[in-house]
Every structure is written in structure tokens, then in C-alpha cells.
């Protein structure tokens, strides 16, 4: 499937489909399996400096009527020491993106240093800075909605890391392009949009919020138009000078095409995997559909990028 080869800045992957952070990628064997089943690359769940337990249950709820999920997992993760050591177990041919979160520029640098110290083996495709988790206090969105903080984080991280830096943006802001511009001006190598949309649920019997954390983030098909608009806005403002990676609600190949027409050069997929007994069913449907579309339309992915703006 040569036609699906994709370039994100200086990075080349075999196709534009990437596993989104936090979904299915919590063990190294599942990351490896998803890559070997055909994805272009896979992203780990977000890793912080210290281990974190996350929020009390219920923390993940499925909303089948809108093919969506609401979660408040709260960045549960093993911390960078354990993660860095385990990273060495992963096959070197797996194209891996490591997602990171922190509460300050200095802490982001410490997490990267820590992973570098413990992982001497695996060559990473990129670090994805999660500046967008909607429900973790003083983390994620708290640092990702202020252009000055974003600029400072990206600048500091770029100074310490020769690995490409992707910045994952939140849709929970009036103008996503201001944050995108700040990240690009500080040297980000790609922008990823979107993380989940702030949301909640209330039980009408107990008359109380359902999630353990009360508030959470919505993902899945319900948020596709939100993600699409974010990519459209970013492309309109920043043009083709920065690679954009679109995500939010992708469940079929037509969604991938829409994101590319809006301006993305690759996409990430998360919640849709939970609708399949085996991820390879979704991966092969997406790859086949995308390939047939490109052949039928006689266009390359590159030529299709941003065409909705013309
Ligand atoms: C259970 C769950 C856990 C998630 N954990 C993370 C995470 O650790 N880091 C992150 O950047 N995004 C996380 N996300 C957000 C996804 O990566 C993605 O941005 C979002 O779900 C939208 O894509 P989708 O509609 O394809 O799922 C999580 C989403 C879900 C549903």
C-alpha cells in the first residue's frame, strides 16, 4: 500500500493511521500488536514524572446511543521510571509516539530526561505533549489554554530533545488557533487535535453525577464535527507549514478523508476500537477504504490535504 505512505515533518510512516493515546495502548504487547496489525504508528497513554492512580470509579462510561465514551481516568500511569525501563522491551521496528503530561515546563523536561535515562534502546518517533486533558487538575488543560505557558513548555522541551515534539491541543477553548500558533512559534513539529470535550452525566434516580470525578471528557463519534472544525481552523490559520494530526470520532474511512480534506496529514483513532472484538477488523476496513478512495479519485494523500479550503 505505497499510496498510503505519509510524511509528518521529517517522519515517514507507512500509512496515516495512528493509535490515539490512552486507548488500548496501556501495555507494550497491545501497542506492538496494534502496530503489527497495520497501523502507521502507535501512541502510549500519557506518562508523567510520578506514578498516578487516577480517579475513582466509575471512570469510563459507554454511551451506545451516540457511539461515544465519557471518561475521567485522570491520567493513571506507572510514572516515567517504570515506563522508561519497560519501553526497552518493545520491538525496535514499532513506530512509537510517547505521550507526556506535566504541570510545568521544568517537569516536562524532567519526564523526558527520565525516559531517556532509563530507555537506551527504543528509538521514538515523537513525544506528544498532552496539553489538553480536560479533567486533571493543574495538568493537561490547565497548562494548555494559556498561549504563554504553551510557548514556554515547547521552547524548553525543544531545547532538551532532538526527538520531534507534537503538541496535543484541547477543544475546550474559544480559539484553538491561538494555542496552535504559540506551539508553532516555539518550534513544535506537529499539532494534534483534539483531546476529549468537557462533559458529564447525571443519574436521574440518585439525582447525582455519575462519574467518580463528576466531570470528564467526551470522545467517539459525537465529537467528530468538533475535531474536524478544529483542524479546519488550524489549517486556515497556519496553512500547510505545520503538520496537523486530526482526531476525534473517527470510526470509518470516510472520516479519515474528511479530516485530510480539512487539512490533516495524518489521523489518530481511539474510541472506535472499543466497538470491535479485534482491532485488526477496524484497521483493515480503514486502510482498504482509504486506498480504494485514493485510487478511484486518482489523488495522493498529499494532494487531498486541505482541499476543502480551496
Ligand atoms: C479512556 C480514555 C483514556 C484517554 N487517555 C488519554 C491520555 O492518557 N492522554 C491523552 O492525550 N489522551 C487521552 N485520551 C483522549 C484520546 O487520545 C483522544 O484524544 C480522544 O478520545 C478523541 O479521539 P476518539 O474520539 O477517536 O477517541 C483518552 C480517551 C479515552 C476515551
Amino acid at each position: 500500500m505505497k499510496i498510503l505512505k505519509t510524511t509528518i515533518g521529517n517522519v515517514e510512516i507507512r500509512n496515516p493511521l495512528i493509535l490515539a493515546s490512552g486507548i488500548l495502548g496501556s501495555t507494550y504487547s497491545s501497542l506492538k500488536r496494534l502496530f503489527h496489525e497495520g497501523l502507521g504508528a502507535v501512541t502510549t497513554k500519557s506518562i508523567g514524572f510520578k506514578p498516578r492512580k487516577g480517579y475513582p470509579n466509575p471512570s469510563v462510561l459507554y454511551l451506545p446511543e451516540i457511539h461515544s465514551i465519557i471518561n475521567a481516568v485522570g491520567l493513571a500511569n506507572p510514572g516515567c521510571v517504570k515506563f522508561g525501563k519497560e519501553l526497552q522491551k518493545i520491538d525496535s521496528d514499532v513506530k512509537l509516539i510517547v505521550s507526556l503530561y506535566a504541570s510545568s515546563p521544568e517537569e516536562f523536561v524532567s519526564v523526558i530526561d527520565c525516559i531517556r535515562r532509563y530507555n537506551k534502546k527504543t528509538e521514538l518517533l515523537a513525544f506528544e505533549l498532552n496539553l489538553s486533558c480536560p479533567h486533571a487538575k493543574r495538568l493537561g488543560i490547565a497548562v494548555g489554554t494559556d498561549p504563554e505557558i504553551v510557548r514556554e513548555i515547547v521552547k524548553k522541551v525543544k531545547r532538551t530533545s532532538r526527538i520531534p515534539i507534537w503538541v496535543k491541543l484541547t477543544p475546550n477553548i474559544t480559539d484553538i488557533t491561538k494555542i496552535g500558533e504559540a506551539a508553532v512559534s516555539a518550534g513544535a513539529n506537529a499539532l494534534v487535535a483534539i483531546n476529549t470535550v468537557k462533559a458529564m452525566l447525571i443519574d436521574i434516580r440518585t439525582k447525582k453525577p455519575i462519574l467518580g470525578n463528576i466531570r470528564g471528557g467526551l470522545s467517539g463519534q459525537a465529537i467528530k464535527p468538533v475535531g474536524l472544525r478544529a483542524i479546519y481552523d488550524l489549517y486556515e490559520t497556519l496553512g500547510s507549514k505545520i503538520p496537523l494530526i486530526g482526531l476525534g470520532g473517527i470510526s470509518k474511512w470516510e472520516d479519515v478523508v474528511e479530516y485530510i480534506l480539512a487539512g490533516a496529514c495524518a489521523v489518530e483513532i481511539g474510541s472506535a476500537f472499543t466497538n470491535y472484538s479485534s482491532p485488526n477488523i477496524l484497521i483493515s476496513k480503514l486502510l482498504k477504504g482509504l486506498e480504494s478512495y485514493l485510487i478511484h479519485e486518482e489523488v495522493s494523500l498529499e494532494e487531498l490535504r486541505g482541499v476543502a479550503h480551496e
Side-chain angles (χ1 to χ4, degrees):
M1 289 195 192
K2 261 198 184 141
I3 194 172
L4 295 180
K5 237 184 213 168
T6 301
T7 311
I8 305 168
N10 295 331
V11 170
E12 193 176 85
I13 51 178
R14 62 188 171 191
N15 67 62
L17 310 183
I18 301 170
L19 174 71
S21 176
I23 301 151
L24 299 192
S26 51
T27 66
Y28 304 96
S29 57
S30 60
L31 287 167
K32 191 169 111 176
R33 178 173 164 219
L34 283 153
F35 180 75
H36 289 308
E37 281 180 353
L39 288 176
V42 290
T43 311
T44 68
K45 66 169 152 182
S46 293
I47 303 299
F49 193 68
K50 289 188 191 146
R52 198 176 140 98
K53 257 173 75 184
Y55 293 136
N57 288 327
S59 60
V60 182
L61 296 157
Y62 295 88
L63 309 173
E65 69 278 16
I66 53 168
H67 305 287
S68 296
I69 297 175
I70 186 164
N71 94 85
V73 173
L75 297 171
N77 80 99
C80 61
V81 173
K82 188 159 180 222
F83 173 82
K85 284 180 187 164
E86 290 196 20
L87 202 56
Q88 313 209 74
K89 293 183 197 157
I90 204 153
D91 297 0
S92 54
D93 61 331
V94 175
K95 300 281 184 194
L96 188 70
I97 299 135
V98 172
S99 170
L100 309 174
Y101 74 86
S103 60
S104 67
E106 294 71 28
E107 198 177 308
F108 268 108
V109 170
S110 304
V111 182
I112 291 179
D113 283 346
C114 167
I115 291 175
R116 197 183 296 140
R117 196 159 54 247
Y118 289 99
N119 164 48
K120 300 256 185 277
K121 196 177 140 228
T122 305
E123 187 66 30
L124 304 177
L125 201 69
F127 281 121
E128 182 178 282
L129 310 186
N130 176 2
L131 303 185
S132 46
C133 180
H135 46 77
K137 293 171 196 78
R138 297 188 307 280
L139 302 164
I141 205 169
V143 290
T145 49
D146 181 331
E148 275 319 306
I149 302 180
V150 169
R151 196 171 288 120
E152 211 191 321
I153 290 172
V154 178
K155 244 189 209 156
K156 280 232 162 78
V157 165
K158 281 294 296 177
R159 246 181 255 143
T160 73
S161 171
R162 51 169 194 84
I163 293 168
I165 299 298
W166 297 0
V167 176
K168 186 167 176 183
L169 305 174
T170 177
N172 302 306
I173 185 166
T174 311
D175 186 358
I176 195 169
T177 65
K178 295 277 176 289
I179 306 298
E181 281 175 321
V184 172
S185 71
N189 300 93
L191 300 178
V192 183
I194 55 173
N195 207 315
T196 55
V197 176
K198 268 187 176 179
M200 73 177 297
L201 292 169
I202 294 177
D203 184 329
I204 62 164
R205 308 277 165 223
T206 62
K207 305 182 180 64
K208 295 271 187 281
I210 299 179
L211 284 169
N213 184 54
I214 302 176
R215 296 169 185 84
L218 186 66
S219 61
Q221 291 182 29
I223 71 165
K224 194 195 83 187
V226 182
L228 206 54
R229 204 236 18 189
I231 291 294
Y232 192 90
D233 285 355
L234 289 164
Y235 190 84
E236 195 170 71
T237 307
L238 298 163
S240 55
K241 68 181 175 201
I242 181 88
L244 300 174
I245 298 159
L247 82 158
I250 293 173
S251 66
K252 47 190 197 304
W253 66 263
E254 291 91 334
D255 300 331
V256 180
V257 174
E258 274 190 80
Y259 268 99
I260 290 166
L261 290 169
C265 52
V267 295
E268 294 187 6
I269 300 144
S271 302
F273 281 113
T274 61
N275 296 324
Y276 288 85
S277 53
S278 172
N280 69 332
I281 304 171
L282 176 61
I283 297 169
S284 72
K285 268 188 180 179
L286 294 174
L287 290 174
K288 276 192 195 131
L290 199 54
E291 188 186 39
S292 308
Y293 177 84
L294 294 176
I295 292 169
H296 181 261
E297 295 286 323
E298 297 180 1
V299 282
S300 67
L301 281 170
E302 192 49 46
E303 287 162 345
L304 208 59
R305 184 181 182 206
V307 163
H309 295 260
E310 286 169 7

